[in-house]
Amino acid sequence: MTIARERPTLEAVARRAGVSRATVSRVVNGSTTVAGPIQEAVRQAVRELGYVPNLAARSLVTQRTDSIALILPESATRVFSDDQFFPGIVRGVSQELEAADKQLVLIMAGSAASYDRVERYTTGRHVDGVMFASMHGVDPLPGTLARIGIPVVCSGRPMGRSTPPVPYVDVDSVGGAANAVRHLLDAGRQRIATIAGPQDMVAGVDRLAGYRSELKGSRRRSIVANGDFTRESGAVAMRQLLDDDPALDAVFVASDLMAHGALRTLREAGRRVPDDVAVVGFDDVEIARYTDPPLTTVRQPIIEIGREMVRQLLRIAQGEEVEEALILPTELVIRQSA
């Protein structure tokens, strides 16, 4: 016969430490107003008794859950595919939240029904703050949460405007794309095409804008096909570009995964890289080092994006003001494809 052990209470800890129940409560909830020796006496009693705080009761008192949500408006299939962008974001977010003793709540919402569920969950204040990554189109939810006082930070500039403005962490996609095209122009490439990302995402819009701005300055025409940041869409878009302009001699691709697909199409078409067609990607995820040939690409600091999102969110939660936009630099990484 098993006898259930009675769960230690705040009162038991108070008796063991020789202090009041209120003092124990303040120490357990992280108050810094209790003298150091008393704090240590309470912590010693907690350890000896094996006391575990009742998180549900504590959240009612403190109005905190110590949980932060990261919302990815994508399907689980997409998030857990071989696209290394999402794992990098999650890794950076997790590292920074762990350092702050906060819990990550990862939420994927790849359908309208699941997004409605996410809206009910977040507006119900089940978390202390919300981060968004990989947003599509004009999404009203970040602005809605900000208006009701929930700290919000986005990865990438939100499309449209909201009041109050929603802070975001982004990279210089326009400048990174322009540097990639400039590298191709400096190498003497004459007919430079692009495989653009989805135009309902700010990364796709900005990278196409950077490509076009640099080509315009060189008086060359744009040659554009669209993909959706997946490998297969890059392969299909590359076939379209070769059909549209068989004489093209370079292509800037808005993601490394699409570039991987483009390299496969070029190989199947008998085009040598970089001899016949130079290829530059964007992201510098792990696959860029193992393509054939290794991919020249624009590096964005994916893990640091996640870390900075958390830092900004925690500042907001503490009542600090933050800049609306935190833009991180990109870097051109030269390998053998261009």
Side-chain angles (χ1 to χ4, degrees), residues 2 19 29-30 41 56-57 151-152 183 190 195 198 219 296 319:
T2 301
V19 298
N29 287 313
V152 182
H183 172 71
Q190 299 299 312
I195 299 175
R219 299 175 182 265
T296 292

Side-chain angles (χ1 to χ4, degrees), residues 11-338:
E11 289 79 3
V13 174
R15 285 194 299 271
R16 177 66 65 93
V19 298
S20 70
R21 183 185 187 281
T23 297
V24 173
S25 178
R26 289 200 298 274
V27 173
V28 168
N29 287 313
S31 172
T32 58
T33 62
V34 180
I38 296 176
Q39 288 190 43
E40 183 52 40
V42 171
R43 293 193 186 102
Q44 180 66 27
V46 165
R47 288 192 293 269
E48 291 172 356
L49 295 175
Y51 173 76
V52 178
N54 185 324
L55 296 181
R58 185 169 72 177
S59 68
L60 288 174
V61 175
T62 65
Q63 298 296 302
R64 296 198 321 268
T65 66
D66 287 331
S67 297
I68 304 294
L70 172 61
I71 298 176
L72 305 174
E74 303 284 359
S75 68
T77 301
R78 178 70 185 275
V79 171
F80 294 112
S81 70
D82 56 357
D83 183 343
Q84 290 142 347
F85 174 81
F86 295 113
I89 290 289
V90 172
R91 181 179 172 188
V93 165
S94 297
Q95 288 173 348
E96 205 65 24
L97 285 178
E98 183 175 356
D101 198 26
K102 304 292 183 184
Q103 178 64 45
L104 169 63
V105 178
L106 179 62
I107 304 175
M108 288 157 286
S111 68
S114 61
Y115 209 70
D116 288 343
R117 171 178 49 79
V118 167
E119 182 170 359
R120 292 193 302 271
Y121 179 79
T122 52
T123 55
R125 298 181 181 272
H126 295 289
V127 290
D128 296 332
V130 181
M131 296 171 290
F132 291 82
S134 195
M135 292 190 299
H136 295 261
V138 178
D139 188 336
L141 184 54
T144 297
L145 294 173
R147 280 192 295 276
I148 65 176
I150 297 176
V152 182
V153 174
C154 295
S155 169
R157 183 181 72 254
M159 288 187 162
R161 302 295 298 173
S162 66
T163 304
V166 176
Y168 63 92
V169 178
D170 205 350
V171 299
D172 182 13
S173 283
V174 174
N179 285 340
V181 175
R182 192 175 308 121
H183 172 71
L184 294 169
L185 290 169
D186 290 345
R189 303 291 172 164
Q190 299 299 312
R191 303 176 78 87
I192 303 172
T194 189
I195 299 175
Q199 295 302 288
D200 68 342
M201 299 182 73
V202 70
V205 170
D206 285 356
R207 292 169 200 179
L208 179 58
Y211 161 83
R212 282 181 163 152
S213 69
E214 195 65 25
L215 273 193
K216 185 177 181 181
S218 69
R219 299 175 182 265
R220 288 172 171 80
R221 72 180 183 92
S222 299
I223 312 166
V224 181
N226 289 307
D228 62 5
F229 288 148
T230 64
R231 181 185 285 104
E232 187 55 38
S233 74
V236 171
M238 192 69 245
R239 283 193 288 272
Q240 178 187 329
L241 289 173
L242 291 175
D243 289 342
D244 291 346
D245 190 343
L248 67 85
D249 61 358
V251 58
F252 163 63
V253 191
S255 81
D256 289 349
L257 208 59
M258 291 198 300
H260 191 203
L263 288 170
R264 186 182 72 199
T265 293
L266 289 168
R267 186 164 52 250
E268 292 169 351
R271 304 294 182 95
R272 297 169 300 164
V273 176
D275 305 66
D276 302 323
V277 180
V279 179
V280 179
F282 200 112
D283 286 332
D284 196 31
V285 294
E286 186 177 9
I287 195 174
R289 298 193 291 275
Y290 301 108
T291 55
D292 183 19
L295 185 66
T296 292
T297 188
V298 178
R299 175 181 295 155
Q300 63 167 328
I302 298 173
I303 294 174
E304 190 61 20
I305 293 170
R307 297 179 69 101
E308 287 292 355
M309 288 171 65
V310 173
R311 291 169 187 152
Q312 293 290 80
L313 191 80
L314 295 179
R315 291 186 188 109
I316 296 168
Q318 291 166 2
E320 298 179 28
E321 290 198 6
V322 300
E323 294 291 332
E324 180 183 353
L326 175 60
I327 308 299
L328 303 179
T330 57
E331 175 190 0
L332 185 64
V333 179
I334 307 297
R335 296 193 179 97
Q336 283 74 58
S337 69

